Amino acid sequence: MIFLTTLPLFWIMISASRGGHWGAWMPSSISAFEGTCVSIPCRFDFPDELRPAVVHGVWYFNSPYPKNYPPVVFKSRTQVVHESFQGRSRLLGDLGLRNCTLLLSSLSPELGGKYYFRGDLGGYNQYTFSEHSVLDIINTPNIVVPPEVVVGSEVEVSCMVPDNCPELRPELSWLGHEGLGEPSVLGRLREDEGTWVQVSLLHFVPTREANGHRLGCQASFPNTTLQFEGYASLDVKYPPVIVEMNASVEAIEGSHVSLLCGADSNPLPLLTWMRDGTVLREAVAESLFLDLEEVTPAEDGVYACLAENAYGQDNRTVGLSVMYAPRKPMVNGTMVAVEGEMVSILCSTQSNPDPILTIFKEKQILATVIYESELQLELPAVTPEDDGEYWCVAENQYGQRATTFNLSVECSVPVLSTCGQGFAHVLPLLEWFHLSHPESLGGMLSLYITLVAPLILLESHCAAARDTVQCLCVVKSNPEPSVAFELPSRNVTVNETEREFVYSERSGLLLTSILTLRGQAQAPPRVICTAHNLYGTKSLELPFQGAHRLMWAKIGPVGAVVAFAILIAIVCYITQTRRKKNVTESPSFSAGDNPPVLFSSDFRISGAPEKYESERRLGSERRLLGLRGEPPELDLSYSHSDLGKRPTKDSYTLTEELAEYAEIRVK
């Protein structure tokens, strides 16, 4: 109906354009479904002065020139046509009215091609128009999708089929549109060149799930079996969404780690692995791996994956935790302290997870923390017992490390105390002082020992052998002293830094230095050993072992006999004197299974028996020291001495040989 009302308007437009010259007007292209028909609209013109009685026309296929013998589609004069078009072609227009519209039915693919019209006005008035129409035989509807379909934005998809067959009208329906929207039929539309199309529209708002959706359109013809279907896949553009990524990763130091980032987007995103703003790897892909070979604690941290395209971006992070055994603990604290001071020592380490930190001394746990990287040991008031080697041990499930450190406690306090080696070194001094100065014990007696100052032990000496002299100087001190050997007769001083002459070795609180002098053919020189540290200086002229041999060589045989006789007399005198003295001593000094105690400061805190015991011992001490009246004031601080297990000193041993280091001040 629409076609019949619109066609006369087309002819009116063509007629208005007649200019009295040869010319033709037809669509440059036209399409139709296979098996249906097609009407090719055509209008021609010729000069007005010709005024033919009868107008004939011919339609050629694929060529406009008769001499090429192209297939005749339709010929009004003879009705003779090519076999391909027999029964398929007829003229719908009236040539007398200059209408050359051609109808082709039962279309098949071989009929697709170019169609030319030739006007025949009789005689030589024949003209083949260069204008032609191209027929396209199709089998599928045309689905038109916008060039860009973006998620969230409404789109319009159309299904268009040719409607140029007056005998068969197509009907359209959508396939696979469920969930997208309801279609609407726009109707039959005329195109610019006079052809007609049937259009159906589908409006919807796409989602990312609609990307790749196959949408179809079906054209069917009533009262026939003809059905034609066409499909189009939706290309929905949407921003990236990261859909695949590692959870937090724990890896052992030195192992291989692979981090994965996968994103869903259209078009493909640019994936980028970053850490602390530094790009580690990037590529345009659906997924991207970041491989870390032999990871170290330095690679521990947060890694970010960024996915972006023209429509947006997304990012996610993943934490990498590198597990490793504790590093060697570091000790930061006081290593040298004076007795009574507070000491704070900090032991720290690094590990993942945090370790168990423990500080030991002689296999005894002093402090420990669990799952912490620092441990602080506080000693409110250090004592000599705190002096020694300590261990700081850090351990987790991946390993164990330890560090040793030494705490040196410098003793500088009034004694009779347990500082240093203990009170045992004072006992020979007390005995010697009692025997040598009994008259001084009635006054005020105070004893002091300073262990921090150097003390040259009596075992220090020199020895000569042929032309070589070796001097041994043994020093006890804390801290370590500097030792020098002085030769006064030669005005020469040799210190321990001159390795060519002096060899030194330290063991605990003892420092042993050996001086070697070669080429000493004459009498050995005097050698003085001097030791110095922060707390004092000590000097001692080293005696020569075997010095009597040199003396015999000088005085001769006669002098040796005289000296030997004098020595025997002195020994006999000393022996008789001591025997008499021992007879007058208290019986408790020499008799009994339990030898007497020279001095004791073992105070008991509470209880009558303890007090009685202390008074008994103090009375015994007064008797032993020969004191009359009140006992001397002794600075007993915190020491205890017991001579019960000491061996009895023989009568020929000088008491000076028993005192290793001591200082006595009599007030």
Side-chain angles (χ1 to χ4, degrees):
M1 188 68 167
I2 299 176
F3 173 75
L4 294 178
T5 57
T6 308
L7 189 57
L9 296 176
F10 173 71
W11 300 137
I12 292 173
M13 293 170 51
I14 297 298
S15 300
S17 64
R18 290 192 300 175
H21 61 273
W22 294 99
W25 296 264
M26 64 186 70
S28 60
S29 64
I30 192 169
S31 60
F33 285 105
E34 181 181 1
T36 64
C37 67
V38 63
S39 173
I40 303 175
C42 175
R43 179 69 179 168
F44 70 99
D45 197 8
F46 54 85
D48 293 338
E49 64 269 16
L50 295 181
R51 299 184 182 192
V54 179
V55 178
H56 290 280
V58 180
W59 281 93
Y60 292 112
F61 180 65
N62 281 339
S63 177
Y65 305 109
K67 64 180 181 179
N68 293 335
Y69 302 104
V72 176
V73 177
F74 174 82
K75 190 173 184 179
S76 63
R77 187 182 292 274
T78 63
Q79 302 294 320
V80 176
V81 298
H82 189 273
E83 61 182 4
S84 299
F85 296 95
Q86 288 181 359
R88 292 184 174 184
S89 62
R90 63 190 177 95
L91 195 65
L92 292 181
D94 186 351
L95 295 179
L97 298 176
R98 303 181 187 188
N99 186 344
C100 52
T101 301
L102 176 68
L103 177 65
L104 298 175
S105 59
S106 302
L107 296 176
S108 59
E110 65 271 12
L111 299 185
K114 299 176 180 179
Y115 288 82
Y116 295 87
F117 178 72
R118 179 180 176 84
D120 182 4
L121 305 182
Y124 294 100
N125 296 319
Q126 298 181 16
Y127 189 85
T128 301
F129 301 98
S130 61
E131 293 81 357
H132 63 278
S133 183
V134 177
L135 175 61
D136 184 21
I137 309 300
I138 64 174
N139 288 293
T140 58
N142 181 26
I143 299 178
V144 180
V145 180
E148 186 175 73
V149 179
V150 181
V151 64
S153 300
E154 185 181 32
V155 297
E156 178 185 272
V157 179
S158 61
C159 177
M160 303 177 65
V161 296
D163 190 8
N164 296 307
C165 178
E167 299 173 355
L168 296 172
R169 299 295 181 189
E171 293 181 355
L172 299 180
S173 60
W174 287 93
L175 304 175
H177 69 285
E178 295 80 4
L180 296 179
E182 291 300 324
S184 61
V185 178
L186 184 59
R188 189 167 182 263
L189 298 178
R190 182 179 179 277
E191 297 179 303
D192 293 339
E193 294 185 332
T195 58
W196 295 86
V197 292
Q198 190 77 254
V199 179
S200 179
L201 303 179
L202 182 65
H203 293 86
F204 61 95
V205 177
T207 62
R208 65 177 57 243
E209 290 77 14
N211 183 47
H213 183 78
R214 197 162 179 258
L215 185 63
C217 178
Q218 183 184 75
S220 60
F221 295 86
N223 302 319
T224 69
T225 59
L226 297 176
Q227 284 187 347
F228 302 93
E229 295 178 356
Y231 292 90
S233 293
L234 297 179
D235 185 19
V236 181
K237 309 297 184 182
Y238 53 91
V241 174
I242 296 178
V243 296
E244 187 176 13
M245 195 169 188
N246 303 77
S248 296
V249 178
E250 290 187 356
I252 301 176
E253 181 179 16
S255 63
H256 172 268
V257 174
S258 184
L259 302 179
L260 171 63
C261 178
D264 175 32
S265 73
N266 186 27
L268 287 176
L270 173 64
L271 294 176
T272 305
W273 275 107
M274 305 177 67
R275 179 170 181 256
D276 297 333
T278 301
V279 176
L280 305 177
R281 190 184 180 195
E282 63 180 2
V284 177
E286 291 183 357
S287 61
L288 182 65
F289 283 94
L290 177 63
D291 293 315
L292 303 175
E293 302 290 343
E294 298 181 357
V295 292
T296 65
E299 294 172 291
D300 189 290
V302 177
Y303 291 77
C305 177
L306 175 65
E308 58 182 339
N309 64 12
Y311 302 95
Q313 66 177 18
D314 189 20
N315 67 83
R316 285 179 59 184
T317 59
V318 58
L320 172 61
S321 181
V322 180
M323 319 302 286
Y324 59 97
R327 299 296 187 246
K328 186 177 180 64
M330 302 292 293
V331 177
N332 182 19
T334 304
M335 296 294 103
V336 178
V338 177
E339 182 180 12
E341 287 185 345
M342 186 192 79
V343 172
S344 179
I345 298 174
L346 179 66
C347 176
S348 62
T349 186
Q350 292 181 344
S351 70
N352 193 12
D354 285 334
I356 299 175
L357 274 173
T358 307
I359 294 181
F360 294 89
K361 182 177 186 291
E362 297 176 354
K363 298 182 179 181
Q364 180 181 1
I365 297 177
L366 302 181
T368 185
V369 291
I370 299 176
Y371 304 139
E372 293 187 22
S373 59
E374 292 184 352
L375 172 60
Q376 190 160 7
L377 174 64
E378 291 188 354
L379 303 175
V382 294
T383 65
E385 286 76 12
D386 296 322
D387 188 289
E389 184 179 61
Y390 291 74
W391 288 80
C392 179
V393 180
E395 180 179 11
N396 64 14
Q397 60 264 43
Y398 299 101
Q400 181 188 82
R401 292 295 297 273
T403 294
T404 62
F405 62 94
N406 288 286
L407 174 61
S408 297
V409 179
E410 297 177 350
C411 306
S412 182
V413 295
V415 285
L416 300 176
S417 72
T418 59
C419 190
Q421 296 289 330
F423 185 63
H425 293 286
V426 184
L427 298 179
L429 180 63
L430 289 176
E431 184 179 355
W432 170 81
F433 200 86
H434 166 66
L435 296 177
S436 303
H437 305 280
E439 70 284 355
S440 300
L441 293 179
M444 187 75 67
L445 176 64
S446 295
L447 298 179
Y448 295 88
I449 283 184
T450 303
L451 294 182
V452 292
L455 195 65
I456 301 177
L457 304 187
L458 295 180
E459 60 195 66
S460 304
H461 66 277
C462 291
R466 296 185 181 181
D467 62 344
T468 300
V469 173
Q470 280 192 328
C471 295
L472 176 70
C473 184
V474 182
V475 182
K476 182 178 294 185
S477 75
N478 186 16
E480 181 177 346
S482 60
V483 176
F485 293 92
E486 182 181 0
L487 284 68
S489 60
R490 302 183 185 182
N491 196 24
V492 174
T493 300
V494 182
N495 58 44
E496 58 183 338
T497 61
E498 302 182 44
R499 302 300 183 186
E500 182 179 359
F501 304 101
V502 178
Y503 169 77
S504 297
E505 180 178 295
R506 183 173 177 83
S507 176
L509 298 177
L510 294 181
L511 176 67
T512 302
S513 295
I514 301 175
L515 171 68
T516 302
L517 301 174
R518 304 185 186 280
Q520 305 297 320
Q522 304 299 325
R526 292 174 56 217
V527 178
I528 297 175
C529 176
T530 301
H532 170 76
N533 69 5
L534 295 175
Y535 300 95
T537 302
K538 193 73 173 179
S539 298
L540 176 68
E541 182 174 349
L542 303 180
F544 273 86
Q545 289 186 354
H548 58 283
R549 300 176 183 175
L550 299 175
M551 180 181 67
W552 302 143
K554 292 181 179 180
I555 66 178
V558 177
V561 171
V562 174
F564 185 70
I566 295 173
L567 179 61
I568 292 176
I570 293 173
V571 171
C572 292
Y573 173 76
I574 292 175
T575 302
Q576 293 297 326
T577 301
R578 292 192 175 183
R579 285 178 180 176
K580 292 178 180 180
K581 189 174 183 178
N582 290 339
V583 171
T584 61
E585 290 285 350
S586 173
S588 62
F589 183 78
S590 58
D593 296 333
N594 298 320
V597 177
L598 283 179
F599 183 81
S600 174
S601 61
D602 185 8
F603 297 112
R604 302 302 177 94
I605 303 301
S606 62
E610 289 81 356
K611 182 177 180 181
Y612 173 78
E613 181 67 18
S614 176
E615 293 175 353
R616 186 189 64 80
R617 290 190 179 184
L618 185 59
S620 175
E621 291 161 5
R622 282 202 302 269
R623 291 193 303 272
L624 292 176
L625 296 177
L627 299 176
R628 298 295 183 268
E630 295 297 324
E633 286 190 10
L634 301 179
D635 187 0
L636 303 182
S637 297
Y638 51 92
S639 63
H640 169 69
S641 298
D642 188 354
L643 301 181
K645 296 182 180 180
R646 290 181 55 83
T648 305
K649 175 178 70 63
D650 60 57
S651 301
Y652 301 97
T653 302
L654 296 178
T655 57
E656 290 83 353
E657 297 179 5
L658 297 177
E660 293 185 5
Y661 59 98
E663 181 179 344
I664 300 175
R665 297 178 185 173
V666 179
K667 296 183 181 179

